[in-house]
Amino acid sequence: MTVHALPSPATNADCVLGAMLLAPRMIDDICEIIHGEDFRDQRDEIVFNAIVAMQASGTPVDAVTVTDHLRATGDLERIGGPARLHAAITATPSAANGPWYAQRIRDEAILRRVAEVGSRMAQMGQESTATGDEVLDLVNAARAELDALTIVDPVDVPNEQAVYDAIAALDEPPGMPTPWERLTDVVAGLKPGGFYVIAARPAVGKTIVGQAFALDCARRGKAALLVSLEMTRTEIYHRMLSAVGEVDMGRIQKRRLARTDHERLAKAAAHVAGLSRRLVVDDRSSLSVSQIRAKARAMKRRGELGVVVVDYLGLVRPVANRSGDRRVEVDGISRGLKELAKDLRVPVVALAQLNRGSEARMGRRPIMSDLRESGQIEADADVVILLHRDTEDPADMGSTLHLIVAKNRHGPTRDIELAFQGRFSRATEDTNQREY
């Protein structure tokens, strides 16, 4: 009695390759779902890539032409010879179901990559001696890999559809408004993925401007993360309460408050507390870009993150470098914040210090070369705003705060004037409200 071996069951790869060979019209539909690297077996990947390359060059696709192509490239024997192609054709019940089988391959590929990420993380946990920021970098890398598995590659969007998507986007605001209408008009709002640098000499008002961005974002119903590396959370909230309640900051600091001040502060506190779920102040004194990224990512997972404000860039803990060069450290921080903005698709507003160059200049007006310690900041930023006041005395109530838009990838450069109200820790667009 002769025993015949049972044929191997058809695989999803067999059915996809068979569909592409039997019905070349299915190739485009299948390519929208999977790529060559999604196949478990490298031999199947070779056949898939060959078929895609032949179709792109206008070469007819069938078992004979693909065999000739693989023979010419030296891959025919690697994939198992002509029998491999005929086996795929024989195993395919219906070429019309090719996209369904392709989706199964895509699902299997995602599960394999999830397992691979988990395996690498487990191995790193057992073998790595990483500490501090290095640990966070490993965690962030793993999260990024997992997130990437669920994101449709924009390259896969047909060009024609991308054109119409661009037209549809014209009905949406170009970016989130800033606290000041004239600034919004010049920079076209805060764009997702944009990196905005606001730089000034000490005591000019950059913290006041930074907190205004965070507070305004929360008022618009979006979450704001204010990373305060210099001031405590209490100090930041005192300034916000001063701005909202129009209570003299000097009297708050000296605790010389009148009854009307307490009444105003109570109303202001109710307003700011109502925004507390959306307005997060992290006042840890030593944070790295990795830690800021982890905090921002966690907030984005919980809801819509409107802006990240970092006060200030020079105090972010750098990644150690062997040279000990401060410029290299600042370059790394700047690039890290730029990547944070791009990866999370959220505007990042970083406050920065200017060097003393402007103090020796006529009029003491700053220029971009005054950015302290790094030219990389200027290169990375989409928008650079330099702050300048006629006087740097924080007690002066009648000065004009100049927002000098020195770099703007989205439009012109401008000098925008705001009325500086130092005792209320704010700047207003209505220059008639200057305090004299």
Side-chain angles (χ1 to χ4, degrees):
M1 177 174 153
T2 303
V3 178
H4 297 282
L6 294 174
S8 301
T11 66
N12 290 321
D14 289 333
C15 296
V16 166
L17 298 179
M20 297 171 80
L21 291 167
L22 289 169
R25 67 181 183 280
M26 304 302 301
I27 295 175
D28 288 339
D29 292 340
I30 290 171
C31 287
E32 287 185 5
I33 301 170
I34 58 173
H35 302 287
E37 60 268 22
D38 290 330
F39 287 90
R40 181 189 297 272
D41 192 321
Q42 187 180 24
R43 294 172 297 181
D44 296 332
E45 179 181 351
I46 292 172
V47 176
F48 178 89
N49 289 338
I51 293 173
V52 172
M54 290 174 65
Q55 190 213 34
S57 66
T59 304
V61 173
D62 58 38
V64 174
T65 58
V66 173
T67 297
D68 291 341
H69 176 88
L70 291 171
R71 182 180 290 111
T73 60
D75 291 321
L76 185 61
E77 295 306 316
R78 291 179 62 194
I79 63 107
R84 174 69 189 97
L85 302 184
H86 291 291
I89 292 173
T90 303
T92 304
S94 172
N97 293 334
W100 187 90
Y101 293 110
Q103 186 59 56
R104 301 291 76 73
I105 290 176
R106 174 65 177 163
D107 292 343
E108 292 169 358
I110 290 176
L111 291 175
R112 286 199 307 275
R113 287 163 190 161
V114 169
E116 289 168 3
V117 172
S119 178
R120 284 201 302 275
M121 291 302 102
Q123 184 174 0
M124 288 178 183
Q126 295 172 355
E127 300 177 359
S128 176
T129 58
T131 59
D133 291 342
E134 294 173 329
V135 172
L136 278 176
D137 287 339
L138 293 177
V139 173
N140 285 328
R143 285 175 174 165
E145 285 192 61
L146 293 175
D147 287 344
L149 297 180
T150 63
I151 298 174
V152 176
D153 187 348
V155 175
D156 290 339
V157 177
N159 288 332
E160 182 180 1
Q161 182 59 46
V163 172
Y164 287 113
D165 288 345
I167 292 295
L170 296 177
D171 294 330
E172 303 172 359
M176 184 178 70
T178 74
W180 304 283
E181 186 176 345
R182 276 176 285 172
L183 179 61
T184 300
D185 184 60
V186 171
V187 303
L190 300 179
K191 299 182 181 297
F195 182 39
Y196 302 80
V197 173
I198 300 174
R201 291 291 297 151
V204 172
K206 60 181 178 294
T207 295
I208 288 175
V209 171
Q211 77 175 28
F213 275 99
L215 189 59
D216 185 71
C217 175
R219 284 169 167 166
R220 296 181 186 277
K222 295 185 177 182
L225 171 60
L226 173 56
V227 179
S228 178
L229 297 162
E230 188 171 33
M231 295 184 180
T232 67
R233 184 183 287 111
T234 297
E235 290 174 316
I236 289 294
Y237 280 130
H238 279 169
R239 281 162 173 74
M240 287 186 182
L241 293 173
S242 172
V244 174
E246 296 186 344
V247 177
D248 192 308
M249 190 62 206
R251 294 205 296 271
I252 291 176
Q253 289 177 329
K254 297 173 183 178
R255 306 300 190 265
R256 297 175 181 174
L257 299 170
R259 175 186 292 181
T260 54
D261 293 331
H262 284 292
E263 292 172 351
R264 287 174 176 268
L265 286 174
K267 291 180 180 179
H271 176 75
V272 175
L275 302 174
S276 60
R277 289 188 178 181
R278 298 191 297 273
L279 180 58
V280 176
V281 178
D282 189 332
D283 66 348
R284 286 176 287 176
S285 59
S286 181
L287 289 176
S288 65
V289 172
S290 294
Q291 289 172 307
I292 295 171
R293 177 191 294 269
K295 183 79 173 185
R297 187 185 294 276
M299 288 182 62
K300 185 163 186 179
R301 288 179 183 277
R302 293 196 299 266
E304 187 173 7
L305 180 59
V307 70
V308 175
V309 180
V310 179
D311 185 9
Y312 64 93
L313 186 150
L315 292 180
V316 175
R317 189 170 73 244
V319 175
N321 68 90
R322 294 181 178 179
S323 67
D325 188 336
R326 176 60 180 168
R327 184 178 297 274
V328 173
E329 292 178 345
V330 174
D331 287 353
I333 294 168
S334 173
R335 191 61 194 163
L337 293 176
K338 171 70 174 180
E339 290 173 355
L340 186 159
K342 186 176 180 181
D343 292 347
L344 296 188
R345 300 294 298 160
V346 61
V348 172
V349 177
L351 310 186
Q353 291 274 27
L354 295 176
N355 61 38
R356 295 181 180 274
S358 62
E359 296 182 358
R361 194 176 298 121
M362 182 69 68
R364 305 178 72 176
R365 287 175 65 86
I367 57 178
M368 276 203 292
S369 61
D370 295 332
L371 280 167
R372 192 171 180 177
E373 300 173 319
S374 173
Q376 188 64 38
I377 299 174
E378 176 184 342
D380 289 333
D382 296 288
V383 175
V384 176
I385 300 173
L386 309 177
L387 305 185
H388 171 66
R389 282 198 291 124
D390 301 329
T391 174
E392 295 183 1
D393 179 4
D396 180 80
M397 297 298 109
S399 61
T400 297
L401 178 63
H402 296 264
L403 273 58
I404 304 169
V405 182
K407 177 184 178 181
N408 183 11
R409 285 192 176 136
H410 312 301
T413 56
R414 287 285 188 275
D415 183 347
I416 299 168
E417 295 185 359
L418 302 178
F420 183 71
Q421 298 181 320
R423 67 170 179 164
F424 293 154
S425 298
R426 71 183 185 187
T428 176
E429 202 155 21
D430 187 355
T431 52
N432 293 324
Q433 291 187 18
R434 289 193 187 93
E435 303 172 65
Y436 294 98

